[in-house]
Amino acid sequence: MSWIRDSSLNWFHLLFVRLLRCGRVPEHVAFIMDGNRRYARKNNVEKLEGHSKGFDKLSEVLQWCLDLGIPEVTVYAFSIENFKRSEEEVNGLMELARGKFKRILLERETLNEHGVKIRVIGNLSLLPPDIRKLVAEVELITKDNNKAVLNVAFSYTAQDEMTYGTNLILNGLANDSISTEDLNLKLFSKCLYTRGSKHPELIIRTSGETRLSDFLLFQGSCSYLYFADVLWPELSAWDLLWAVFKYQHVCQTLDNMAKILQNNNTLSKKGAQFLKSINENHINELHSTVKS
Ligand SMILES: *[C@@H]1O[C@H](CO)[C@@H](O)[C@H](O)[C@H]1NC(C)=O
Ligand SMILES: *[C@@H]1O[C@H](CO)[C@@H](O)[C@H](O)[C@H]1NC(C)=O
Ligand SMILES: *[C@@H]1O[C@H](CO)[C@@H](O)[C@H](O)[C@H]1NC(C)=O
């Protein structure tokens, strides 16, 4: 199954898409892809088969998002907590991920043609070295694309992300590249794994669970949460269209709330310089990971 596929929307969906596009379409949607294992149990297949179906669904959902005109998508693929699952399942998932990241490298031309940037966000030091390498390569070859962004949260938790951001800032303070006057929420948000992407307006979780499970806790402060009562591999285009429709009904209220909560901070000159240096360091790290 390829990352780039043809649209599976029929004329009736497309009509609805056109209607939705008259209203506000979110610029960033995040998904908690929950229910692969339950799907496997329900259909009497191996757990891994459920995860594999989950990936197929992901590539379909990405295409729907493009059809809707949603330029950025973040998906929760693997939490740091998931390392606690059985060795067999974790190894199986890693093997699946290996295959999918290799597939991206094979499809690099199509991805670049479509202008898709792919970033893997999470604590990469917990991953097997060969996957770390693949992930670094994927990020490097797509980093200059700017039509669509896919963030794959892999080995991710929001708490780990905030620890990472805080450590960057502490280092910056310790080596005098910033001082306490430069600190604000704007600077902090750009030190997170999402590096200052627009915060998601809509977060969708499947499988009927109504928890965030340590996903985008900082970025999701003003997001509309939509809980779909289907397992991830069963998510239909209608579920997504319906979630966007529901979002459109409340987006004005969310906007007003975001305005009140929004930090009106601006980056100081030193802050901006500091961010430039951490971004350069990040790219250098990716290069050395690929070479290692
Ligand atoms: C990533 O995981 C490693 C190993 O558990 C840990 O030492 C490190 O602090 C984590 N990094 C961050 C930024 O949380
Ligand atoms: C930020 O500015 C807006 C518009 O000027 C204002 O309504 C809002 O209260 C400010 N937010 C904070 C946290 O000060
Ligand atoms: C200071 O620390 C930051 C964060 O780790 C790093 O990006 C930057 O390169 C460091 N600057 C110097 C001068 O060491």
Side-chain angles (χ1 to χ4, degrees):
M1 177 63 68
S2 162
W3 283 82
I4 296 285
R5 48 149 68 217
D6 290 332
S7 177
S8 59
L9 298 183
N10 62 33
W11 68 270
F12 198 42
H13 292 129
L14 289 170
L15 186 69
F16 207 73
V17 165
R18 243 204 270 165
L19 288 175
L20 288 175
R21 290 187 75 153
C22 295
R24 171 102 68 86
V25 173
E27 286 172 46
H28 184 176
V29 177
F31 293 93
I32 302 178
M33 309 187 289
D34 193 16
N36 292 342
R37 298 197 296 177
R38 256 168 288 167
Y39 175 87
R41 228 176 292 135
K42 190 169 140 188
N43 290 282
N44 266 318
V45 292
E46 292 288 322
K47 270 187 204 146
L48 221 49
E49 175 66 22
H51 290 304
S52 174
K53 279 275 184 303
F55 174 78
D56 294 351
K57 182 53 69 179
L58 169 59
S59 78
E60 200 175 11
V61 170
L62 292 176
Q63 187 53 52
W64 296 338
C65 288
L66 287 177
D67 291 334
L68 264 161
I70 297 167
E72 182 158 7
V73 172
T74 300
V75 295
Y76 206 0
F78 191 82
S79 140
I80 291 176
E81 293 300 307
N82 293 155
F83 281 112
K84 294 184 187 144
R85 292 182 180 172
S86 74
E87 199 183 325
E88 189 195 351
E89 188 181 352
V90 172
N91 289 343
L93 274 164
M94 290 299 147
E95 189 53 36
L96 190 68
R98 217 170 253 125
K100 298 311 173 191
F101 291 129
K102 282 187 185 154
R103 182 87 209 200
I104 295 180
L105 296 177
L106 288 176
E107 293 181 350
R108 61 201 288 172
E109 274 174 23
T110 330
L111 284 164
N112 288 341
E113 242 166 63
H114 285 74
V116 183
K117 185 200 313 242
I118 299 184
R119 298 189 295 192
V120 176
I121 60 171
N123 187 338
L124 304 187
S125 66
L126 300 169
L127 295 173
D130 68 313
I131 296 190
R132 217 181 304 154
K133 243 168 140 159
L134 284 171
V135 158
E137 209 173 336
V138 164
E139 181 160 345
L140 283 175
I141 62 167
T142 62
K143 78 178 168 45
D144 296 321
N145 294 338
N146 57 15
K147 288 211 190 88
V149 182
L150 169 65
N151 304 304
V152 182
F154 195 74
S155 180
Y156 174 93
T157 58
Q159 296 190 45
D160 172 76
E161 181 181 39
M162 290 192 263
T163 309
Y164 167 82
T166 307
N167 281 336
L168 283 180
I169 287 179
L170 289 176
N171 280 340
L173 289 170
N175 70 18
D176 278 334
S177 36
I178 44 171
S179 41
T180 45
E181 307 87 78
D182 303 306
L183 296 186
N184 58 35
L185 284 171
K186 178 99 155 215
L187 183 78
F188 182 67
S189 77
K190 288 181 184 282
C191 288
L192 297 174
Y193 292 137
T194 45
R195 307 213 172 263
S197 269
K198 189 180 166 56
H199 292 176
E201 296 100 322
L202 170 63
I203 299 180
I204 298 175
R205 181 176 187 143
T206 52
S207 96
E209 298 292 342
T210 49
R211 288 176 281 127
L212 280 175
S213 303
D214 217 340
F215 182 54
L216 301 182
L217 296 185
F218 184 86
Q219 299 90 330
S221 61
C222 289
S223 308
Y224 177 61
L225 307 181
Y226 181 82
F227 299 103
D229 223 356
V230 291
L231 302 176
W232 172 256
E234 295 170 340
L235 187 81
S236 73
W238 287 121
D239 294 315
L240 175 63
L241 297 176
W242 184 246
V244 172
F245 179 72
K246 298 279 281 186
Y247 159 75
Q248 289 189 337
H249 267 85
V250 294
C251 67
Q252 199 53 53
T253 316
L254 291 174
D255 266 6
N256 293 341
M257 190 174 81
K259 270 199 203 107
I260 295 167
L261 290 175
Q262 94 185 345
N263 57 83
N264 298 325
N265 310 141
T266 46
L267 283 180
S268 65
K269 214 164 154 201
K270 269 169 96 183
Q273 194 57 40
F274 168 72
L275 289 174
K276 197 164 159 249
S277 107
I278 60 175
N279 287 333
E280 280 165 8
N281 289 350
H282 175 65
I283 298 294
N284 290 340
E285 258 167 49
L286 294 177
H287 280 294
S288 52
T289 306
V290 170
K291 284 194 207 103
S292 66

